[in-house]
Amino acid sequence: MNQQSYELFSPRFHFYTAKEYHPNWEELFHEAYKLALKISKNIAFDKNPLSRTILQKRKLIALYKTLKALFINMRRMAKGNHNFIPLFYIWTMTNACNFRCSYCSDHRHHKYPDLYKQGHNKDLTTAQGKKLIKIMKDSTAIYFCGGEPTLRKDLPELLDYSTKLNMFNMINTNGSLIGDLLLKPTYKKFLSQMDVIIISLDSLNISQLSDIYETKESIARKVLRNILTLRILQNYVPFKLVANTVITKETIEESFDILDWCNDLGICFSPVSANIGHEPDYDLLNHPRYKILTKKIIERTNQGYPMIASARMLEKLLRASDIHCYPTVFDHIDHTGELFWPCKTYPQAVKITYNSALS
Ligand SMILES: C[S@@+](CC[C@H](N)C(=O)[O-])C[C@H]1O[C@@H](n2cnc3c(N)ncnc32)[C@H](O)[C@@H]1O
Ligand code: SF4
């Protein structure tokens, strides 16, 4: 990376207007650039130009598995049979977390870090994790989640294993540790194996962010620096970078700014309205500014800015209306390896254990 690339990647804002309580972007970008430079010396680059495209053996196999599962699921649905093949597995690898977000919920009114402290801390071992991934391998994708998945020391080893089994890999992280982790030798292959990196980002105001996350301002600042760092690294290794914003009544105005910021920087935007347990927050849904925000998000989606879903789907999700959910297509595995059936959000969900398969 040289002066030319510095200028190429430095933020240029069109929609976004900086607020006095937002960080100094030039300073933060400079830090991100220096870190990206250091990381680029540690990570594995695949010299094959095809590796930057879908024409990679693993991705082609994963795509084939998706199309096959979709075809079978649609045929079953036409016959009224809802015994679907999972398209991906969401794996809560651990309940541990270094943050304690104000809205955090496991869909059952618990916060992951609290669950961990209350004794729900018996995560699968690495060997059990690999057995679980092997069970999942006939589906397309694995979504590493938590708690905070980057707290698991064996994350790179498990990712390497799922990659070898031709899975499509996604991670949802709070983004606080990823910049430092990518400097470690164990994380050398991480970016070339992780296809989608989703980072939570609920405000561009560091002071507000540290209050929401219950963490130090220096750590909240790292989340922003790490997103900017990953954005630069994206130009060298092919992965999709997504910012996931949980919209609350307190952070609606910041959500407008994050939308603009992401659209300007070419970062895929994933807006989610805060749930209370397994229910939408109806006060939020009826908030006049929320309605304006939703409209703006749909407009930008229609204009072609990168968003996590189609305009139609986002409209349904953000307005919590007309949603036909097929939960068994996205199976949710708990930190113990148990599967919630049909869905973690159902208060009466049954937990299915694989104990014999995992031991
Ligand atoms: C439980 S977190 C686990 C991964 C990681 N710790 C993180 O925060 O990104 C998974 C996602 O759920 C979101 N989330 C947590 N509580 C939520 C709530 N009450 N409503 C909507 N989304 C929520 C988080 O913002 C995050 O993007
Ligand atoms: S970082 Fe994720 S798991 Fe941790 S408290 Fe926040 S939402 Fe919950």
Side-chain angles (χ1 to χ4, degrees), residues 196-213:
V196 184
I197 302 182
I198 303 164
I199 301 203
S200 294
L201 178 64
D202 304 323
S203 174
L204 297 177
N205 176 345
I206 290 172
S207 159
Q208 185 182 39
L209 210 51
S210 78
D211 285 347
I212 300 169
Y213 295 171

Side-chain angles (χ1 to χ4, degrees), residues 221-317:
R221 190 174 188 279
K222 270 192 174 185
V223 173
L224 283 167
R225 181 207 60 179
N226 290 345
I227 296 178
L228 289 173
T229 304
L230 286 168
R231 173 180 168 266
I232 298 168
L233 290 166
Q234 243 185 330
N235 292 281
Y236 295 84
V237 200
F239 65 91
K240 186 175 177 131
L241 178 61
V242 181
N244 186 82
T245 300
V246 177
I247 309 161
T248 63
K249 293 187 280 293
E250 295 72 32
T251 55
I252 295 180
E253 296 311 320
E254 280 297 306
S255 303
F256 278 96
D257 284 334
I258 301 173
L259 168 72
D260 289 345
W261 189 81
C262 283
N263 288 172
D264 282 342
L265 298 184
I267 297 170
C268 179
F269 184 55
S270 168
V272 194
S273 61
N275 288 327
I276 301 176
H278 62 277
E279 291 283 342
D281 177 351
Y282 291 105
D283 287 345
L284 173 71
L285 264 46
N286 291 322
H287 194 293
R289 289 293 284 161
Y290 179 83
K291 289 182 180 170
I292 295 171
L293 176 65
T294 304
K295 199 164 162 249
K296 198 164 185 179
I297 293 170
I298 308 298
E299 272 167 22
R300 290 277 173 82
T301 313
N302 285 328
Q303 286 163 12
Y305 289 93
M307 300 284 175
I308 198 66
S310 65
R312 206 166 136 245
M313 184 57 86
L314 279 172
E315 192 155 17
K316 286 183 182 189
L317 290 173

Side-chain angles (χ1 to χ4, degrees), residues 97 99-101 103-104 112-113 147 174:
C97 190
F99 287 0
R100 194 175 173 281
C101 302
Y103 54 74
C104 179
Y112 286 101
N174 64 32

Side-chain angles (χ1 to χ4, degrees), residues 45-53 55-57 236-238:
F45 293 108
D46 191 338
K47 300 259 168 14
N48 179 356
L50 289 186
S51 73
R52 291 186 61 78
T53 70
L55 296 173
Q56 221 184 357
K57 190 174 152 224
Y236 295 84
V237 200

Side-chain angles (χ1 to χ4, degrees), residues 91 124-134 152 158 161:
W91 178 21
L124 293 182
T125 61
T126 309
Q128 287 172 322
K130 285 186 181 173
K131 283 187 182 164
L132 179 71
I133 293 171
K134 206 167 176 182
R152 271 195 73 135
L158 293 165
Y161 189 70

Side-chain angles (χ1 to χ4, degrees), residues 125-194:
T125 61
T126 309
Q128 287 172 322
K130 285 186 181 173
K131 283 187 182 164
L132 179 71
I133 293 171
K134 206 167 176 182
I135 294 171
M136 299 174 190
K137 81 174 173 19
D138 287 335
S139 96
T140 310
I142 173 162
Y143 188 114
F144 296 100
C145 203
E148 179 44 44
T150 60
L151 287 178
R152 271 195 73 135
K153 299 257 180 317
D154 56 1
L155 174 63
E157 189 178 339
L158 293 165
L159 171 65
D160 197 45
Y161 189 70
S162 64
T163 303
K164 285 188 179 126
L165 293 180
N166 297 311
M167 303 282 283
F168 193 77
N169 302 305
M170 301 184 270
I171 190 167
N172 199 157
T173 165
N174 64 32
S176 59
L177 304 172
I178 193 73
D180 296 324
L181 287 173
L182 285 169
L183 291 168
K184 290 183 183 280
T186 45
Y187 269 73
K188 204 175 162 63
K189 292 191 272 179
F190 185 87
L191 289 183
S192 57
Q193 295 178 331
M194 194 58 87

